[in-house]
Amino acid sequence: MGLYRLAVLSFRYPKIILICWTVCLVIFGEGALRLPSVLGGHGLDPGGSSGTVRQRLDEGFNRPAEPVVIWFEQNKPGSKAEFRAYIRSALRNAEGLPGLERIVSPLDNGDMLRSGKAYALLDLRFTGRDERAVLAELRARLPVQSGFTWMLTGKPVVQADVNAASETDMRKAELIGLPAAFLILWIAFGGAATAMIPVVLGSVAAVVSMGIVYGIGMRTELSNFVLNVIPMVGLALCIDFSLMLVSRFREELSCGRAEQALRVTMRTSGRAVLYSAGCVALGLLGILFIPLPMFASVAWAALTVLLVSVLLSFTLLPAVLSILRRRIEAENSAPPERTGSRFWHRLSEAVMKRPMRMAVFAILLVVLCILPAGRMKIAVPDAASLPESTESRAAAERLAVRFPSPDATLLLGVPDANPGSGRSFDWPYAYGKFLQLQGDPQVVRVDSVFSRLDMNGEQLAVLHEKPGIRHEAAVFPFYFHGNQLVMDVYLRTGSDSEETRQWLRKWEAAGNQERIPFRIGGEAKYRQEVYDAIFTNLYKVALFVILTNFILLYGAFRSVFIPLKTLLMNVLSISASFGLLTWIFQEGAAGGGTIAIMIPVFIFGLVFGISMDYGVFLVARIAELYGQTRDNDYAVAAGLAATSRIITSAAAIMIAVTLPFAGADVAGVRQLGTGIAMAILLDATLIRMILVPALMKLLGKWNWWSL
């Protein structure tokens, strides 16, 4: 009841509320502009064995953990000496760069230079520095010389490009989404002033939320993904909440005084907004069961948007309605429920006359959309998520072709040993692992000290008695250091394949049981750990979201079947969006790629809550009419006819503010925007307009059965 009273007070004292929110805009507006500066990487860091191995390789094997890579290429005939001289000059110029710890040069490692192609590793630490400024300075230092080219890549460069593209994607989407939302609202309300209210509130929600998240980002690292999620979710939710409240206010305003109209609006549509917000919050909290920083970042950022949107709906919106009530009354001469209502009444009548046929028709279409989901291929995003023309992607692809990275890296030996500890390295054991790996049918090749020194079993049988082997192995610092040895393994299957994941799990289990345990790292291991972190916890997300939403909806409607049916409809629409996403990005016009591994989780968490928005609005209106008449058929038909226009407008607005992200440069953002838009389109048409009322007609009074 506190929020309802707050809404009434805001209606009575609108100027105070306007001043308060203006101050909030001033305070948080600057933070919103600076939000990109506090965002970190993608946030897919499982913190497992792969991270430990990466750290050990960085500390002892001259393999920087996340280096900036300079790709060199000789693009005209010339001598090897000229190419080497060019590389030497470029790396000399890079020395002294802020944050540069070391350079791993191809001139010191023959494996990094082959036939006019080479790459160097720069161990750059960006702590407290602007990554873009440092990379810009590096580019300015590298020489431009005819016959030779260079390009930058590596995870820091790719991430910087992703962050820059995300900012551009956000601006482009807002330029399209906001005018489209205003146009939809103008058509729905028939007046510019009324249509502008939800757009203004949505913009305020996005700006204030970004400012608050900037404050959070000053204290903890946030994923760059929040930059697109905040405006996407903020605009959609706040505009839709405002749409539902404004439409009910207009309806009640035509029947009485303004303050009384507001009271009725808040008791009916305001209650629906609160339950909708509760469903959204539970969907977002479910995402927190995934133990990866990206999911926590997105969940808390979206929860911030949700809280701000609810506060705006119960404070700023009533204040604006109070100030503009005369203008709203003037634009309310043709109530939206009467204008163009014939179509919705005919649809309602058609569904109620043939509920079984309409339900079967809708289910068949949804199932057809779901079918491609079984062929979905997911992958951890990398440089391929950027446009093909991006320098970092082009360099990464050339590097992978000419100098392929190992899929897995085994770290063997005594972890706490060092050359002076007196603890000898078990060479026969290590050689046995080398032979075992070489004999594995899934292994293409193994790079190690053994393959470089061309040792055989007889020699290794007495190696532990020859300390000089350490000096011989030291020629290959990439493979041996401080009584620890590295083996780089190249597999026949891709890093994101299930076969590779099974191989890594099998070898990791074996490594834990060995008399001298070993650790596994590498890109494939990192991807397997990300995959397991998500999919071994996915059932927790689903159980939490479904059970808590059922409890919340049962409390709202005091019915068993309405929550069950609502949850089932949500699962159907989300599953169908997965199928359409697979068809579009793998098999359709944009096919040939994979789905970013976090996208299905985000779509489930976000859409499950967001689609409840108008789902609860529809069922709440039906329940309200049923409570007045106790006639199920009338309540369903009248509720559908009364809310169809608003639900369609709400869905259209959500699509308008999410679909522009389908044109984003970053593949993950593109997939998220498309997936949410498709899920909402299906949910608002086949599900809410046909399947839900048809099932409610078929269930009759069972709809309202309570425990």
Side-chain angles (χ1 to χ4, degrees):
M1 294 300 294
L3 283 175
Y4 301 147
R5 291 175 182 170
L6 181 61
V8 174
L9 289 174
S10 300
F11 189 83
R12 290 177 180 173
Y13 307 102
K15 293 182 180 179
I16 295 176
I17 299 299
L18 286 176
I19 292 172
C20 290
W21 279 107
T22 301
V23 171
C24 286
L25 272 177
V26 173
I27 293 174
F28 295 110
E30 183 181 357
L33 294 173
R34 299 174 64 182
L35 176 60
S37 66
V38 298
L39 299 181
H42 46 62
L44 289 173
D45 184 8
S49 172
S50 63
T52 301
V53 172
R54 184 168 61 245
Q55 182 180 355
R56 296 264 177 87
L57 295 178
D58 183 15
E59 293 170 351
F61 292 85
N62 204 28
R63 300 191 189 187
E66 292 190 349
V68 171
V69 181
I70 309 179
W71 169 259
F72 295 105
E73 190 167 342
Q74 187 173 5
N75 50 24
K76 75 172 186 179
S79 68
K80 293 181 181 180
E82 289 178 322
F83 188 39
R84 295 173 70 89
Y86 174 73
I87 294 173
R88 186 177 296 106
S89 172
L91 297 182
R92 189 181 298 116
N93 289 351
E95 293 175 356
L97 191 70
L100 181 62
E101 296 286 329
R102 57 184 152 156
I103 297 175
V104 181
S105 171
L107 304 180
D108 301 325
N109 191 321
D111 288 346
M112 300 167 64
L113 193 158
R114 298 174 189 167
S115 304
K117 311 286 192 302
Y119 68 96
L121 305 178
L122 273 61
D123 187 6
L124 269 172
R125 308 300 168 96
F126 296 99
T127 306
R129 298 180 180 88
D130 185 348
E131 292 186 14
R132 297 185 199 178
V134 174
L135 292 175
E137 183 177 344
L138 173 60
R139 288 187 170 95
R141 288 177 174 227
L142 295 177
V144 177
Q145 184 174 332
S146 176
F148 305 101
T149 59
W150 56 262
M151 292 188 288
L152 298 185
T153 188
K155 288 189 177 181
V157 183
V158 170
Q159 193 59 58
D161 288 342
V162 168
N163 291 350
S166 296
E167 290 183 49
T168 304
D169 293 340
M170 180 187 68
R171 295 191 191 98
K172 289 191 297 187
E174 288 177 344
L175 287 174
I176 299 172
L178 284 175
F182 174 73
L183 183 61
I184 293 167
L185 288 165
W186 197 349
I187 295 171
F189 288 134
T194 312
M196 185 59 71
I197 295 173
V199 174
V200 171
L201 261 70
S203 302
V204 173
V207 171
V208 172
S209 300
M210 291 173 73
I212 295 173
V213 173
Y214 168 75
I216 297 173
M218 292 286 289
R219 294 163 179 79
T220 183
E221 185 172 337
L222 295 174
S223 167
N224 70 298
F225 221 71
V226 305
L227 192 62
N228 295 112
V229 168
I230 291 177
M232 192 184 300
V233 175
L235 291 174
L237 280 178
C238 196
I239 289 177
D240 274 8
F241 288 166
S242 303
L243 168 64
M244 294 174 185
L245 293 171
V246 171
S247 64
R248 187 61 184 258
F249 178 76
R250 278 165 53 102
E251 180 183 342
E252 298 299 332
L253 190 60
S254 61
C255 305
R257 296 176 57 188
E259 186 170 323
Q260 181 61 27
L262 180 75
R263 291 178 181 274
V264 174
T265 297
M266 290 302 168
R267 284 200 304 268
T268 54
S269 295
R271 183 172 181 269
V273 164
L274 285 179
Y275 278 109
S276 298
C279 292
V280 176
L282 292 171
L284 294 171
L285 288 173
I287 295 177
L288 293 174
F289 282 100
I290 307 295
L292 292 172
M294 169 184 277
F295 294 91
S297 294
V298 169
W300 289 118
L303 282 167
T304 301
V305 177
L306 176 65
L307 178 61
V308 171
S309 298
V310 171
L311 287 175
L312 284 167
S313 299
F314 284 85
T315 56
L316 184 57
L317 177 60
V320 174
L321 291 176
S322 176
I323 293 172
L324 297 180
R325 63 180 180 271
R326 302 299 180 193
R327 184 67 179 270
I328 294 172
E329 287 175 349
E331 294 178 350
N332 202 24
S333 57
E337 286 72 19
R338 296 177 184 175
T339 306
S341 60
R342 290 183 181 180
F343 171 78
W344 303 115
H345 281 289
R346 287 176 181 174
L347 175 63
S348 175
E349 291 172 0
V351 173
M352 299 303 290
K353 284 181 180 179
R354 302 176 182 85
M356 183 60 73
R357 292 183 186 178
M358 298 296 281
V360 171
F361 168 74
I363 290 172
L364 285 176
L365 287 180
V366 171
V367 169
L368 285 174
C369 293
I370 292 174
L371 289 177
R375 302 187 294 272
M376 180 183 286
K377 298 177 182 178
I378 60 172
V380 176
D382 52 21
S385 63
L386 291 166
E388 293 182 2
S389 59
T390 307
E391 177 190 286
S392 59
R393 174 178 175 176
E397 290 174 346
R398 296 185 189 187
L399 183 65
V401 170
R402 196 71 185 85
F403 302 93
S405 299
D407 296 291
T409 299
L410 269 69
L411 182 64
L412 301 90
V414 185
D416 59 346
N418 57 69
S421 67
R423 303 180 67 179
S424 62
F425 184 77
D426 193 338
W427 288 99
Y429 165 78
Y431 186 65
K433 283 290 155 226
F434 173 70
L435 294 178
Q436 187 180 353
L437 284 167
Q438 281 195 319
D440 193 303
Q442 200 168 335
V443 174
V444 176
R445 82 171 195 267
V446 182
D447 282 349
S448 74
V449 169
F450 306 111
S451 58
R452 300 309 171 96
L453 296 179
D454 193 23
M455 294 178 177
N456 58 47
E458 292 182 1
Q459 291 173 316
L460 287 165
V462 292
L463 275 180
H464 62 284
E465 300 174 1
K466 296 183 177 181
I469 185 63
R470 283 209 186 97
H471 302 294
E472 195 172 0
V475 178
F476 308 99
F478 268 36
Y479 299 104
F480 187 82
H481 174 77
N483 280 349
Q484 294 186 83
L485 182 144
V486 164
M487 296 185 191
D488 289 330
V489 184
Y490 297 81
L491 301 174
R492 299 186 187 280
T493 50
S495 295
D496 286 299
S497 70
E498 181 58 29
E499 293 84 358
T500 295
R501 289 192 287 268
Q502 292 290 359
W503 187 90
L504 290 165
R505 295 185 191 111
K506 179 188 73 174
W507 272 84
E508 184 170 50
N512 293 331
Q513 298 172 3
E514 295 278 344
R515 62 185 177 86
I516 302 179
F518 58 82
R519 291 182 178 274
I520 303 179
E523 183 64 22
K525 180 60 180 172
Y526 159 74
R527 291 173 181 243
Q528 175 248 314
E529 289 176 345
V530 171
Y531 181 94
D532 289 350
I534 293 174
F535 287 95
T536 58
N537 293 285
L538 204 54
Y539 76 95
K540 299 177 186 177
V541 178
L543 282 176
F544 175 83
V545 172
I546 291 173
L547 288 176
T548 54
N549 270 270
F550 175 83
I551 294 170
L552 182 64
L553 292 174
Y554 180 82
F557 301 111
R558 298 298 174 184
S559 164
V560 173
F561 288 107
I562 284 181
L564 287 176
K565 177 168 50 58
T566 304
L567 293 171
L568 176 61
M569 297 302 102
N570 264 22
V571 171
L572 284 176
S573 61
I574 292 170
S575 300
S577 74
F578 289 166
L580 291 175
L581 202 63
T582 302
W583 179 76
I584 292 171
F585 289 99
Q586 287 183 200
E587 303 165 0
T594 56
I595 307 301
I597 194 168
M598 64 282 189
I599 298 304
V601 182
F602 285 152
I603 290 177
F604 178 82
L606 294 171
V607 172
F608 204 97
I610 290 174
S611 63
M612 283 290 190
D613 191 0
Y614 42 84
V616 170
F617 186 68
L618 168 62
V619 177
R621 193 59 179 265
I622 293 174
E624 181 185 339
L625 293 170
Y626 180 78
Q628 296 171 359
T629 63
R630 314 306 294 180
D631 184 336
N632 180 75
D633 289 0
Y634 169 78
V636 173
L640 178 61
T643 59
S644 294
R645 182 188 184 93
I646 301 303
I647 289 176
T648 304
S649 299
I653 290 169
M654 284 194 178
I655 293 170
V657 298
T658 56
L659 192 58
F661 287 94
D665 287 334
V666 181
V669 176
R670 191 160 59 243
Q671 292 166 2
L672 182 62
T674 303
I676 292 177
M678 293 298 101
I680 291 170
L681 177 63
L682 290 168
D683 199 75
T685 52
L686 291 176
I687 303 294
R688 304 297 171 189
M689 296 292 96
I690 297 177
L691 195 52
V692 168
L695 292 176
M696 293 192 77
K697 164 67 176 178
L698 292 171
L699 286 172
K701 291 187 177 181
W702 281 102
N703 285 307
W704 315 104
W705 180 69
S706 179
L707 293 174

